[in-house]
Structure formats: structure tokens, C-alpha cells
Amino acid sequence: TGAQQSATVANPVSGASPDLLPHFQLEPEDVYIVKNKAVSLACRATPATQIYFKCNGEWVHQGDHITQHSTDRGTGLPVMEVRIEVTRQQVEKIFGLEEYWCQCVAWSSSGTTKSQKAFVRIAYLRKNFEQEPTAREVSIEQGIVLPCRPPEGIPPAEVEWLRNEELVDPALDANVYVTPEHSLVLRQARLADTANYTCVAKNIVARRRSASAAITVYVNGGWSTWTQWSGCSTSCGRGWQKRSRTCTNPTPLNGGAFCEGQNVQKTACTTLCPVDGAWSEWSKWSVCGAECTHWRSRECSEPAPRNGGRECHGPELDTRNCTSELCSHAAPGAEDVALYVGLVAVAVCLVLLLLVGVLVYCRKKGGLDADVADSSILTAGFQPVSIKPSKADNPSLLTIQPDLSTTTMTYQGSLCPRQDGPAKLQLPNGHLLSPLGAGRHTLHHSSPAAEGADFVARLSTQSYFRSLPRGTTNMAYGTFNFLGGRLMIPNTGISLLIPPDAIPRGKIYEVYLTLHKQEEVRLPLAGCQTLLSPIVSCGPPGVLLTRPAILAMGHCVEASAENWSIRLKKQSCEGTWEGGLQLGAEPCTELYYCQLEAQACYIFTEQLGRFALVGESLSMAASKRLKLVLFAPAACPSLEYNIRVYCLSDTQDVLKEVIQLEKQLGGQLIGAPRVLHFKDSYHNLRLSIHDMPSSLWKSKLLASYQEIPFYHIWSGLQPFLHCTFTLERLSPSTCELACKIWVWQVEGDGQSFTVNFNIAKDTRFSDWLVPDSEVGAPALVGPSAFKIPFLIRQKIISSLDPPGTRGADWRTLAQKLNLDSHLSFFASKSSPTAMILNLWEARHFPNGNLSQLAAAVAEVGKQDGALFAVSEAEC
């Protein structure tokens, strides 16, 4: 657009050949200015004695041209090439009036020639989409149109679509195409098309993502065919029979409508009742026969069995002896048979009694007790390992005083010691969380940490040592066992809490914690991503713990769900940075979890490694906290005086590094640091000095302000940047300086520093630069690393882990401590109470208020009368 053909001046020198007019071998082309980078325009002509650029009708100053002379090897004519640079400020001066253009004008002895016009435009891409796709629910095989109108930009943005973060390629899927208006069309929805769709706009400046639109393809249910009728429900008389069908042709999916109508039909049925057979009356006895017997009979006919009824049971014929006068002889030997049967029965009884007596005698002779023997067999090998405490009726908590004189207790599930009595917590005399009395119990811990040189020497044999700092200034290390402990890097806000039983019993780990400088570790950032925290390593890498350790470090983000997408990045053992955990999402099966607070984040991790917090802004309202600090020389032997203004990421580790640097330079702090909210608006940070007494001081700066580029600050990869204001006092006797330093983001809010101090005064660094919470040993092992005594901790865990009546359990404790937004994470662990207490330790060591924690625990107890009995004196 805007390009013109080369135009030759109409009045060349008289008699000159047209062939000697300058012609352009290279003409300037349209270019875009990306952010604040200047662009270069070039042209080359032969034969040419002079070439100059004209921009927007005005000649460019001769000193701004870069000229090169050469000779065309084919013709021998002189060749001249000229370049100029165009800055964003030049283009912005005429923005809105007309487009900025430049063209070359070349001279020779025969005349002049003009090149085509080259237009210079400022490239940009707005944040907000003019139209974003929206979530929809569609029936299967229905067509879908997802509209997308990308943000305004120069050059116009190209659009691509992502399905579950994977590129949608219409060339590979005939069911998909993208319209010229950038809408995504699905001709017929398939179940596989159920996904999150994102419209991505990009040009040479940036890459923007729309809000994801969830497309759900549902299937309405359909009835299967009816089954066969079932048998009648009764075997006699009137009953019911039924048939059924299912909503499986197809089965409703993704919220589709269920089938309408009945899935079961019933109908009446009648079954003939079965009639069981019954005997008729016995007939009369027959006449006594020659064998002295007679008989009688009956029939199964009253009623006879029918319809499947049962037959009669019993004999049809009955016989017996008869001794009437008609009997010719008696049955021989009947009395003898009865006698023999009686004798045999008596003999059998005597034998059984004899056997029982022998068995009893043998058992007594061997000294055996049947009950004891059976009991020992049943109970052997079934001793209890750990009994989870249950809610007892005892109104006190922890009625058993556990014995910690040995460290061989067995733990199973949560960190609850095996107890044989009631599991409620009875508060000891005095404060709920008072330390254990001397000499009552002993907790053994591992040997103290090795000397720094020995520790680093051992690390140097490991492959991962190449990526660690060589000094020990920003490193803490120690030797730990199952009792746990903590590591702290002083004055940085960085610590690592290793809770009890995180290290398996019988194991001893040498653990380190180190802070990296940005130049030591390459953290790739894409698009609008920015580093929000220090890069911290804890190791050895790859070590898995049985309980999550807690890594604490500061950050500089003003977090909000609508302005930021924040991820916790973790570097794998192979050296690549993983995509990381999305903050605010469910922890799922991740090995780590991050709780983001106003000034710090707490990372629960079961695997040691390297971590960093990375954010991507979602709107121009997203902001980072900068800490602005002023330093000046403590002594001024010359007339020249420098004021250094640092723009730091608002984390303690960066401030510590600047302080160490200024101590080496002999600088002194001027006032307390200020906080500035730096927004994602692509505008630079400007600094200027005002209100100096002109009779005493003058500034040696030629410009009215200094500027730090936006990206240098926003990326976070340069944690501290500074500008120097060079002043000159007009008299050596001048020792007082009063002025204001303004710091503001272009088109944003600003802050001013009122500087008023005495140059001759020896100002030392303020005490607040060394927070009290950071004073102490870098490594603490065992009970000394925790505020909550071990006994009390175990009793609280055993009492609050099981579900309590009226909610008096760990959930209420989390609510009292304002941690109820993380209930799903706590619930995923074997001991939620232990996670809550570990987090309290990480946030409040060493100056945590145990009284407040005790009050929160007591508040939980008041909800369940059987949980706590706390007197006023004990609180």
C-alpha cells in the first residue's frame, strides 16, 4: 500500500543522455516498528553523486545518513548506497495526521530521480478480542460456528484455532474449516469434538489468546427394543408379568436428554393353582391270615394331585400281627430278638464312655489347657500396628501421656503414635503449646551439618552440581533424618521446611537450598510471560519424600484471576522446564501444589528440584510490584555527585543483592524504599529530577528525563535496573541536597521521592533491611526447627484428622486459620491436620504467635464438647 513507481525529474540537464540519469538498484520498502526498536531504510542508485532521504516532505538531516560508495563492476559507473534509521518517536509525532513515509532522491550530472515511497508504521496488537468464542452445547451431527474477531493490530493479526491446546488444521480434518472472517466451522459435530476451543491471534508484535470456549457435544438417548414377557409373578391365581427396555439405543451422553416414556410395562396374568394329593380314609382290617397278620389300604384320591400338585407321602398299605383264635401258630423267636438288641445297645454305650475317660486323662497328664491353647493360636501374629483414634465420650483431649523416650514408634497412615487408651487430647498444665520440660522426653536427631567446604566438595562429584552456584553465600545445607528440620537463606525470604517423617526412617539425606541469579539459569519465556519470583533449587534432585516439604519464596505479582494466568514452573532432571502447575486449578495427581499469598508463595512438593513462578498477563490491568530504592555516595570528594535509582522486583533476595553491591561501592541508602505498580501497557518507565536549588546544584543530564524500556522490566530476567542522575555542586562547601525524583510509567500513575539529606553525614544501612525473621542459623535440625512441640503436634493431629461431630475437625481449623480455600488439597493427603500445621510452621517461624494457634485449636474444641476441656488458665 502506498508504493509508487520511480519518477524521473522532467527537466534533466540539457544534452544529457537518459541513460546517465540515476536509476535505483534498491528502493526503500514498507516497514513496521516493533515496540521501541528503530527501523532502517535503505536505497542504492547508479550513477549517483548524491542521495538523500525525504520523509513526509522534509529533508532528513545530512548527519543522519549512512553513505557507502562503490563501483558497478559491469558498467564502471559509481554506485551510492544510503541508509537512515527511523525511531518510534519520529513516527508518533505525526500519528493521526497522516501516514509517515520516506523516499530517496538521487542526483547525477544528468538530473534527479525519486524512489518509491516507503511507509513506516508502528506495529501493535491490542489485548482484547473484538469478539470471542462462547461455550455451547450442541447435539451430535449438528453444525457449529465459533466466531472470532481478533484484536485490532498493525499488521492485521493472523488467526489460528486450538482444540485442547493442539492446533486445528483444516487440511487434516475435512469436517473443519475456517471462514475468511476467522470463524471456526464444524460441519457435523462429533463426540471427539467435545473440547475447549481457543482463538489465537498473532502478528509480528505479540500473540494473543481468547478465552477458551467449551464445546460439549451431547447425545440424546433412545429406547432399545422390548424384552420378552416375564413369567407370571404368582404360581397360583391372579398375578402380573412384565417386560422392559433400556435407554441405550443410543445411551445419553454429555448431558443429553433421557428417553421419554416408560421403561417397564406390566400386564395381568392367571395361573392354575396346583392341588396336592391327600389320602383317603384307611379301609377296614382284613381277616387274620395263616401267618398271623392282617392288612389295610388307602388311596391318594381325596383330592388327587393335579396342576403340578405334590403326590401323597406315606405307605399305601399297612400290616400288623394278629393273635386271634383263627391264627394257626405264633411267630417264632420274637422275644429273643428284642433281648439281643438291648444287649448290643448297652455294650456300645460302655465303649463310648471308656474312650471319653481315656482322652480326658491324657490331656490332664500333658498339662494342656484347651482354652489357652486355642487362644494362643488365634491371637498369634495379629498384634495391632496403629489404631486410628475414635471419638470417645471422655470430655478431655489427649488423656494418655505418650512416651517419647524411644524413637522406634511405628506410624501408619497419618502421623499418629500407637496408643492403647482413649485418643483424645488432654491439655497439659500451662500453655497448650508450651515447650516440653527438660529431662522428660528425649528426641534424637542426626549429626550436625558438615562444613561448607566439605559439603560443596561432595556436591562437586554429582552431575547436577554444574548448574549450582559455586559460592555458599546464597546456599544453605544440612543433614536431616526422619525428625525433619528447615533450611533458610538469610535476608531472602527463602526457606525449605522438611516436616517430621518426610524422610523415611533409617534414611539420612544431605539437603541443600540455593538461590540462582538470572544469568546462571536460562528460563525460557514465551509471548507475554514474565518471571515473578526468584529461581530456587532444593535437592538432591529427584529425591522423593513421604510427606510434602514446603518451599517458601517471595514474588512480585499483584495476583488476580481475571488479570493473570500464573504457573509454577519446575525443571526436570533432564534440564527442561516443564509446563508446570496452573495456580488456582485442582491439584489432581501432581507431586506439588502452590499456595499464593500477597507477598510470598508456599510450594508443597514431594520431589525436590528447581522451581520458579511465571505469569502471563491476561489484560492491561495486570501489574507487577517494583521496589524503588535510592542510593548515593556516602562521601563526596569532588564536585560531581551521583544519585542511583534502582527499579527492583519486589522480593527480598533482589534487595539483598543490591545492598551488597552498594556496600562495595560505598553507597548509602536515601530514605525507605517505595513500591510502584508497573502495568502491562507496553509503556516505558521514566525518571526525572526536579526542584533542585539552581544556585547550589545543576544537573549534567542533557535530556529532561531518563527511560527504562518496558520489556527490560516486564520480563523479570533483569531483576534490578537503575538510572544514574549526575549532579554537580557549584561550591565545595555545599553539603545539603534537597530535590524531588519523579518515577512514572508513561500514561500511567507515578510516584515522587522527596530527597533531602546531608552529603557529609555517614548514613548506615537501616536496620529494617535485615528482618528479624531471618536472623538465625541457616540450618535447623529436629525439634529446634519447629515452633509447635512434637508431643502437642502429634496429639492435635490424632484428634483432628478423624471426622468430628458438628464439623469439629481439621476443616474447622483450616477455616479458623483462613486456609479453607485449600481444603481439597488437604483432603487429598493422609493427614490433613499435619499439612495445616506444616503450613503454619512455614509461614510463622520463628516469630509465630503460638497463643493465636492455641486459640484457634480451642475454638475447634468448643464446637464439640467431647473434644476439648480447656480451662482459662490453660489458655
Side-chain angles (χ1 to χ4, degrees), residues 155-228:
E158 299 177 355
V159 171
E160 61 186 18
W161 285 86
L162 300 180
R163 178 196 287 131
N164 287 343
E165 302 304 317
E166 293 184 1
L167 182 64
V168 176
D169 189 355
L172 301 178
D173 190 351
N175 192 47
V176 177
Y177 72 92
V178 179
T179 68
E181 294 78 23
H182 310 300
S183 297
L184 180 67
V185 178
L186 304 178
R187 292 183 172 91
Q188 288 186 326
R190 304 159 297 188
L191 288 178
D193 294 326
T194 298
N196 291 323
Y197 290 82
T198 307
C199 180
V200 179
K202 59 182 179 180
N203 65 5
I204 59 176
V205 178
R207 186 172 184 265
R208 307 288 186 219
R209 292 167 55 97
S210 71
S212 294
I215 298 300
T216 302
V217 181
Y218 61 86
V219 178
N220 293 325
W223 290 114
S224 65
T225 57
W226 289 102
T227 62
Q228 296 294 327

Side-chain angles (χ1 to χ4, degrees), residues 315-326:
E316 292 180 332
L317 187 66
D318 184 24
T319 63
R320 71 178 180 178
N321 295 329
C322 58
T323 56
S324 66
E325 65 280 358
L326 298 179

Side-chain angles (χ1 to χ4, degrees), residues 79 139 149 811:
V79 178
S139 176
R149 293 173 60 191
R811 294 174 178 82

Side-chain angles (χ1 to χ4, degrees), residues 320-395:
R320 71 178 180 178
N321 295 329
C322 58
T323 56
S324 66
E325 65 280 358
L326 298 179
C327 184
S328 58
H329 63 275
E335 294 82 356
D336 295 339
V337 171
L339 177 62
Y340 294 149
V341 171
L343 291 175
V344 170
V346 171
V348 170
C349 292
L350 290 175
V351 171
L352 291 175
L353 289 173
L354 180 61
L355 289 175
V356 171
V358 171
L359 289 175
V360 171
Y361 173 78
C362 292
R363 177 163 294 185
K364 290 183 177 180
K365 194 71 174 178
L368 296 177
D369 186 348
D371 293 338
V372 174
D374 292 343
S375 176
S376 63
I377 291 171
L378 291 174
T379 58
F382 287 88
Q383 299 300 325
V385 174
S386 176
I387 301 174
K388 192 169 185 179
S390 60
K391 298 292 179 181
D393 294 328
N394 193 338

Side-chain angles (χ1 to χ4, degrees), residues 420-459:
D420 299 325
K424 294 298 179 182
L425 177 65
Q426 180 179 3
L427 298 180
N429 293 330
H431 197 281
L432 170 65
L433 301 176
S434 58
L436 300 178
R440 290 179 59 194
H441 304 287
T442 304
L443 284 174
H444 302 285
H445 56 79
S446 60
S447 58
E451 293 295 330
D454 295 339
F455 188 86
V456 175
R458 285 193 297 276
L459 281 180

Side-chain angles (χ1 to χ4, degrees), residues 35-307:
K35 295 185 178 179
N36 295 317
K37 296 181 180 178
V39 295
S40 177
L41 298 177
C43 62
R44 184 171 61 247
T46 181
T49 57
Q50 291 182 0
I51 300 178
Y52 288 98
F53 271 90
K54 177 183 289 187
C55 294
N56 280 71
E58 296 181 3
W59 294 103
V60 178
H61 192 275
Q62 181 178 1
D64 295 333
H65 290 72
I66 300 175
T67 306
Q68 291 183 348
H69 295 275
S70 61
T71 303
D72 192 319
R73 294 182 179 181
T75 62
L77 295 176
V79 178
M80 179 178 293
E81 182 174 346
V82 175
R83 293 179 181 273
I84 65 170
E85 286 192 350
V86 179
T87 66
R88 183 188 183 106
Q89 288 78 5
Q90 292 175 259
V91 178
E92 285 180 336
K93 287 181 181 179
I94 65 161
F95 182 78
L97 301 177
E98 58 180 340
E99 289 189 300
Y100 192 95
W101 59 266
C102 294
Q103 70 177 162
C104 283
V105 180
W107 279 266
S108 72
S109 59
S110 298
T112 61
T113 303
K114 294 181 180 179
S115 71
Q116 67 181 6
K117 287 184 179 180
F119 289 85
V120 182
R121 300 178 177 89
I122 297 176
Y124 66 91
L125 184 62
R126 301 295 185 196
K127 289 276 187 180
N128 298 324
F129 281 71
E130 295 183 4
Q131 185 178 11
E132 294 184 289
T134 57
R136 294 183 58 189
E137 294 182 358
V138 296
S139 176
I140 193 168
E141 298 184 356
Q142 180 181 344
I144 306 175
V145 178
L146 292 176
C148 175
R149 293 173 60 191
E152 177 187 354
I154 295 179
E158 299 177 355
V159 171
E160 61 186 18
W161 285 86
L162 300 180
R163 178 196 287 131
N164 287 343
E165 302 304 317
E166 293 184 1
L167 182 64
V168 176
D169 189 355
L172 301 178
D173 190 351
N175 192 47
V176 177
Y177 72 92
V178 179
T179 68
E181 294 78 23
H182 310 300
S183 297
L184 180 67
V185 178
L186 304 178
R187 292 183 172 91
Q188 288 186 326
R190 304 159 297 188
L191 288 178
D193 294 326
T194 298
N196 291 323
Y197 290 82
T198 307
C199 180
V200 179
K202 59 182 179 180
N203 65 5
I204 59 176
V205 178
R207 186 172 184 265
R208 307 288 186 219
R209 292 167 55 97
S210 71
S212 294
I215 298 300
T216 302
V217 181
Y218 61 86
V219 178
N220 293 325
W223 290 114
S224 65
T225 57
W226 289 102
T227 62
Q228 296 294 327
W229 287 103
S230 66
C232 199
S233 61
T234 61
S235 59
C236 174
R238 185 177 178 84
W240 297 93
Q241 62 182 155
K242 66 179 180 179
R243 64 177 182 174
S244 62
R245 59 180 178 175
T246 58
C247 190
T248 56
N249 187 30
T251 302
L253 293 174
N254 297 332
F258 197 80
C259 303
E260 295 182 359
Q262 296 180 344
N263 64 337
V264 175
Q265 283 184 345
K266 291 184 178 181
T267 185
C269 59
T270 303
T271 305
L272 295 176
C273 295
V275 177
D276 296 334
W279 294 111
S280 64
E281 295 291 333
W282 287 101
S283 66
K284 294 182 179 182
W285 289 102
S286 66
V287 178
C288 190
E291 295 82 13
C292 293
T293 61
H294 58 172
W295 54 270
R296 63 177 180 175
S297 65
R298 59 182 178 177
E299 294 179 355
C300 188
S301 59
E302 293 184 3
R306 62 180 183 269
N307 300 332

